[in-house]
């Protein structure tokens, strides 16, 4: 894994009998004092933590879900994270409408029961798993197809761009493998939606904002811009790759998040980059979240001769 990692202290996971062997009294067990409850029959012991790798971008929600997942897997062998939970652990950009506070886990045992507030159990006939940063998780291809039931096509495209790209985490699968999975899996829910989404997913996309901008252009019946077209800039003797562009017309679209404005270094680098592209004969349109999209559409149409 090439992405940098941090390490977090996870409490030891104990059964009730193990907690008692470490000196927990009946009151400790009932009240959760010293050995707080993780799941029925499972306790945490903060006095003997173990370090586990976590992504540098992981927040308290990520850490809490990872800790609970470890506890459930200890109490219920064979349990794996799935759906929204797995997507969050992978670092995929879920839309606000599909964000769930529940921990979604899956098992292959059709008779399995897990009765715990905040945990949703899914029983699956075919359960393919992978270990992700020491966590038991459903394979990314299955997770992606599960999300079709709670995500729009646009959201699936954004997630797909992230999953095959190099965003928060290394690529989880290739576009070729995703296409084969969708076409080759029997009894796949929301197959038409998945097929439409897969047809719009592109490689080498750097951020959700780039995906949004590209899908916006398609929705306005504009030609689909190329992701990261190669532009040789002789004044710096480098090949630059603007976010999106129309190579034949030499028009580049550059999305600039707030960090482009607040970082003095990034601001200077952006100016040098735009100057190099302009001298190479390209026109650069800079886009932010506050850009007037109607005017942006008019500008693109005018430049491409689509008026």
């Amino acid at each position: 894994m090439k992405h940098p990692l941090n390490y977090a202290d996870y409490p030891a996971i104990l059964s009730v009998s193990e907690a008692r062997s470490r000196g927990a009294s009946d009151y400790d067990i009932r009240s959760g004092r010293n050995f707080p409850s993780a799941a029925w029959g499972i306790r945490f012991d903060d006095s003997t933590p173990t370090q586990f790798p976590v992504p540098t971008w992981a927040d308290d929600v990520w850490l809490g879900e990872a800790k609970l997942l470890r506890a459930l897997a200890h109490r219920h062998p064979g349990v794996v994270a799935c759906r929204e939970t797995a997507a969050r652990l992978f670092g995929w950009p879920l839309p606000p409408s599909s964000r769930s506070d529940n921990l979604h886990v899956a098992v292959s045992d059709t008779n399995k029961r897990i009765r715990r507030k905040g945990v949703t159990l899914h029983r699956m006939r075919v359960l393919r798993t992978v270990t992700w940063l020491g966590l038991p998780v459903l394979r990314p291809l299955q997770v992606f197809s599960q999300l079709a039931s709670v995500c729009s096509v646009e959201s699936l495209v954004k997630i797909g761009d992230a999953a095959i790209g190099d965003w928060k985490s290394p690529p989880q699968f290739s576009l070729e493998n995703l296409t084969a999975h969708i076409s080759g899996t029997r009894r796949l829910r929301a197959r038409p939606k998945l097929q439409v989404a897969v047809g719009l997913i592109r490689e080498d996309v750097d951020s959700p904002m780039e995906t949004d901008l590209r899908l916006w252009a398609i929705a306005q019946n504009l030609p689909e811009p190329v992701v990261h077209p190669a532009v040789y800039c002789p004044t710096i003797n480098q090949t630059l790759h603007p976010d999106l562009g129309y190579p034949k017309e030499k028009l580049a679209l550059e999305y600039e998040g707030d960090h482009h404005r607040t970082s003095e270094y990034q601001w200077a680098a952006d100016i040098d980059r735009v100057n190099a592209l302009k001298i190479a004969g390209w026109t650069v349109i800079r886009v932010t979240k506050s850009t007037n999209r109607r005017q942006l559409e008019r500008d693109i149409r005018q430049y491409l001769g689509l008026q």
Side-chain angles (χ1 to χ4, degrees):
M1 186 175 188
K2 69 177 181 179
H3 284 228
L5 296 172
N6 290 331
Y7 286 83
D9 287 339
Y10 282 82
I13 300 171
L14 311 171
S15 66
V16 171
S17 60
E18 289 170 331
R20 285 199 171 100
S21 70
R22 295 193 181 193
S25 65
D26 289 342
Y27 176 75
D28 289 331
I29 300 299
R30 290 194 304 271
S31 67
R33 186 186 67 175
N34 299 328
F35 295 90
S37 175
W40 186 87
I42 297 295
R43 295 294 185 270
F44 288 132
D45 182 3
D46 291 315
S47 66
T48 56
T50 303
Q51 284 201 328
F52 286 96
V54 300
T56 55
W57 45 263
D59 55 15
D60 289 341
V61 174
W62 195 99
L63 293 171
E65 288 192 318
K67 185 168 71 171
L68 179 56
L69 177 60
R70 291 184 191 279
L72 286 174
H74 184 88
R75 175 69 176 82
H76 305 280
V79 162
V80 301
C82 67
R83 288 179 49 123
E84 295 96 316
T85 299
R88 284 192 293 270
L89 293 175
F90 289 141
W92 294 353
L94 286 172
S97 60
S98 67
R99 289 173 188 164
S100 168
D101 292 334
N102 278 15
L103 192 80
H104 290 268
V105 296
V107 293
S108 58
D109 183 355
T110 57
N111 297 315
K112 185 68 177 178
R113 300 287 186 276
I114 297 179
R115 295 183 176 88
R116 187 189 190 281
K117 185 179 179 180
V119 175
T120 301
L121 178 66
H122 304 267
R123 302 175 190 86
M124 301 178 60
R125 293 183 179 181
V126 179
L127 192 68
R128 298 186 176 92
T129 65
V130 66
T131 300
W132 170 254
L133 298 177
L135 299 167
V137 183
L138 193 67
R139 284 192 178 275
L141 286 171
Q142 281 190 288
V143 175
F144 181 84
S145 58
Q146 283 184 324
L147 295 176
S149 64
V150 293
C151 290
S152 66
V153 168
E154 291 76 14
S155 294
L156 287 172
V157 175
K158 189 181 298 184
I159 292 168
D161 281 357
I164 69 170
D166 193 24
W167 294 12
K168 288 184 174 181
S169 301
Q172 275 95 15
F173 48 74
S174 68
L175 182 54
E176 180 182 2
N177 288 341
L178 176 59
T179 302
H181 171 73
I182 300 303
S183 63
T185 302
R186 299 177 60 189
R187 301 187 182 91
L188 192 62
R189 293 184 179 180
R191 187 187 302 275
K193 183 193 290 188
L194 288 166
Q195 289 173 328
V196 172
V198 170
L200 291 169
I201 292 170
R202 300 291 179 263
E203 297 176 327
D204 300 323
V205 180
D206 283 341
S207 71
M209 291 74 72
E210 288 182 20
T211 302
D212 283 339
L213 185 56
R214 179 170 57 86
L215 293 180
W216 168 84
I218 294 172
Q220 307 313 307
N221 293 317
L222 292 166
E224 180 180 349
V226 175
V227 176
H228 296 164
V231 182
Y232 176 69
C233 299
T235 57
I236 59 174
N237 193 28
Q238 290 183 23
T239 298
L240 299 181
H241 298 270
D243 295 336
L244 299 167
Y246 298 94
K248 183 178 178 181
E249 296 82 3
K250 293 187 176 181
L251 175 63
L253 306 178
E254 288 277 71
Y255 188 92
E256 297 184 359
D258 199 48
H259 72 283
H260 290 260
R261 178 183 61 82
T262 58
S263 167
E264 183 177 349
Y265 170 81
Q266 186 65 56
W267 180 251
D270 288 343
I271 292 175
D272 292 341
R273 176 184 176 89
V274 169
N275 288 340
L277 288 168
K278 287 182 176 179
I279 293 172
W282 280 62
T283 296
V284 180
I285 298 179
R286 304 169 79 175
V287 183
T288 71
K289 65 180 180 180
S290 300
T291 294
N292 184 317
R293 292 300 175 98
R294 289 185 178 180
Q295 184 60 49
L296 176 60
E297 180 186 353
R298 288 193 290 266
D299 290 343
I300 295 174
R301 286 188 180 279
Q302 177 70 34
Y303 194 92
L304 299 180
L306 300 176
Q307 295 287 9

